[in-house]
Amino acid sequence: MKVVILAGGYGTRLSEHTSVVPKPLVEIGGRPILWHIMKLYSHHGLNDFVICCGYKGTVIKDYFMSYLSHQGDFTIDLQRNRIEMHRSGTEPWKVTLVDTGEKTMTGGRVKRVREHLGDSTFCMTYGDGVSDVDIGGLIKFHHQQGALATVTAVQLPGRFGAINLSSDRPRAAGFREKDATDGQVINGGFFVIEPQALDLIDDDSTSWENEPLARLTEQDQLAVYRHRGYWQNMDTLRDKAILQGLWDAGDPPWCVWNKGSAANGSAKVSQPATADQATH
């Protein structure tokens, strides 16, 4: 199963950092937040990534082009133009990096990478939020519901897309983006999506959080997976400080790959046989 990561936004509230690097490469504990997100999926056995680049996308491409050499030891034979790798600490990742346009909205970005997704169910999330969400449980829930898309709902007040939950029914009753009167349950990203849902995206100007999710809700095709564990986005300098503080404390709650017997990617997803959100 492939994982789409929206990594093209400007990150204006983090301009102290994003004037140099795109938001997904802003570091927590010496590693880009993008790396932390990918480690979560890898822990659950998902290692095939499609990254939607935009603002400073070449910097993200350069990061992955240099990844192997930065993580391992090697010898360079300058005369023969050869490189011999001695030790590699790299993850088992396959990473497709696609320039989806600097001004393209979130829905448009996903639509632009459709050719890389095939006809199978895929995961999607934003390049600025970490969590200890059970990806395997999320995917299983999605298949049980039979919906075209599943959104992970998390607890947090204000300024994010609010999900209207009527009772405990596993479908969204409504979806609206960034309303000051929103309650506690918000769009936490970590979607599971069927490729047919991409037909609801018109063009580059379409925000996934607006028309497509509204249409899915109207069609009773947006399932809601409730995550009651840890979730934190990195939208502001304050958010970054919170994440860095948890890292420095020695037990960051989103680093599930360092905990339990399933660490380092040994936990596998059971697959079937057959949070600048507008421009991430």
Side-chain angles (χ1 to χ4, degrees):
M1 184 178 290
K2 296 194 176 185
V3 180
V4 175
I5 302 179
L6 300 173
Y10 288 100
T12 53
R13 294 189 180 117
L14 278 167
S15 58
E16 178 179 318
H17 298 278
T18 55
S19 61
V20 180
V21 297
K23 190 200 285 191
L25 291 190
V26 174
E27 293 186 349
I28 302 298
R31 296 277 195 170
I33 193 167
L34 177 60
W35 178 89
H36 292 267
I37 295 166
M38 294 171 73
K39 286 290 284 187
L40 171 66
Y41 281 102
S42 186
H43 170 75
H44 289 279
L46 278 68
N47 293 297
D48 195 346
F49 299 93
V50 179
I51 299 179
C52 301
C53 301
Y55 173 69
K56 292 188 180 295
T58 55
V59 183
I60 297 178
K61 291 180 179 180
D62 289 344
Y63 172 77
F64 284 102
M65 287 294 291
S66 303
Y67 196 86
L68 183 63
S69 61
H70 288 178
Q71 301 301 313
D73 299 333
F74 56 91
T75 297
I76 300 178
D77 186 331
L78 297 177
Q79 186 175 23
R80 294 180 175 81
N81 192 28
R82 295 176 181 174
I83 299 177
E84 178 185 358
M85 298 300 300
H86 301 299
R87 178 189 62 82
S88 176
T90 57
E91 290 78 4
W93 295 345
K94 178 181 177 183
V95 186
T96 301
L97 297 123
V98 182
D99 181 0
T100 56
E102 192 164 305
K103 297 182 179 180
T104 306
M105 306 299 271
T106 48
R109 292 194 191 283
V110 183
K111 188 152 190 166
R112 282 206 187 194
V113 301
R114 186 168 190 170
E115 65 181 288
H116 300 285
L117 302 178
D119 298 321
S120 301
T121 307
F122 64 94
C123 291
M124 184 188 82
T125 195
Y126 305 111
D128 65 353
V130 292
S131 177
D132 62 357
V133 60
D134 179 359
I135 299 296
L138 166 63
I139 293 171
K140 181 179 179 181
F141 174 85
H142 171 78
H143 288 304
Q144 288 173 339
Q145 292 301 311
L148 288 180
T150 297
V151 57
T152 298
V154 298
Q155 296 286 327
L156 198 77
R159 72 184 176 86
F160 294 94
I163 303 164
N164 180 3
L165 302 179
S166 54
S167 72
D168 286 330
R169 186 171 174 269
R171 286 292 193 277
F175 195 98
R176 66 180 185 278
E177 180 67 5
K178 297 184 180 180
D179 189 310
T181 62
D182 288 343
Q184 296 292 313
V185 182
I186 65 161
N187 163 22
F190 297 100
F191 294 90
V192 184
I193 303 171
E194 299 300 322
Q196 302 95 300
L198 302 187
D199 294 336
L200 301 175
I201 300 171
D202 295 327
D203 51 34
D204 284 358
S205 66
T206 304
S207 293
W208 171 252
E209 300 76 24
N210 292 328
E211 296 93 339
L213 289 188
R215 292 170 185 168
L216 286 167
T217 300
E218 290 168 1
Q219 298 171 16
D220 199 32
Q221 287 294 325
L222 180 62
V224 179
Y225 179 80
R226 293 165 177 80
H227 173 60
R228 295 177 172 85
Y230 182 80
W231 180 92
Q232 175 67 53
N233 77 312
M234 190 182 67
D235 196 39
T236 66
L237 289 172
R238 178 181 177 275
D239 297 332
K240 182 183 184 304
I242 290 172
L243 292 170
Q244 186 62 53
L246 288 169
W247 179 274
D248 292 341
D251 189 24
W254 68 89
C255 293
V256 294
W257 55 90
N258 288 332
K259 304 172 183 178
S261 59
N264 299 317
S266 60
K268 302 298 179 184
V269 172
S270 175
Q271 303 211 22
T274 52
D276 306 290
Q277 279 190 332
T279 57
H280 276 75

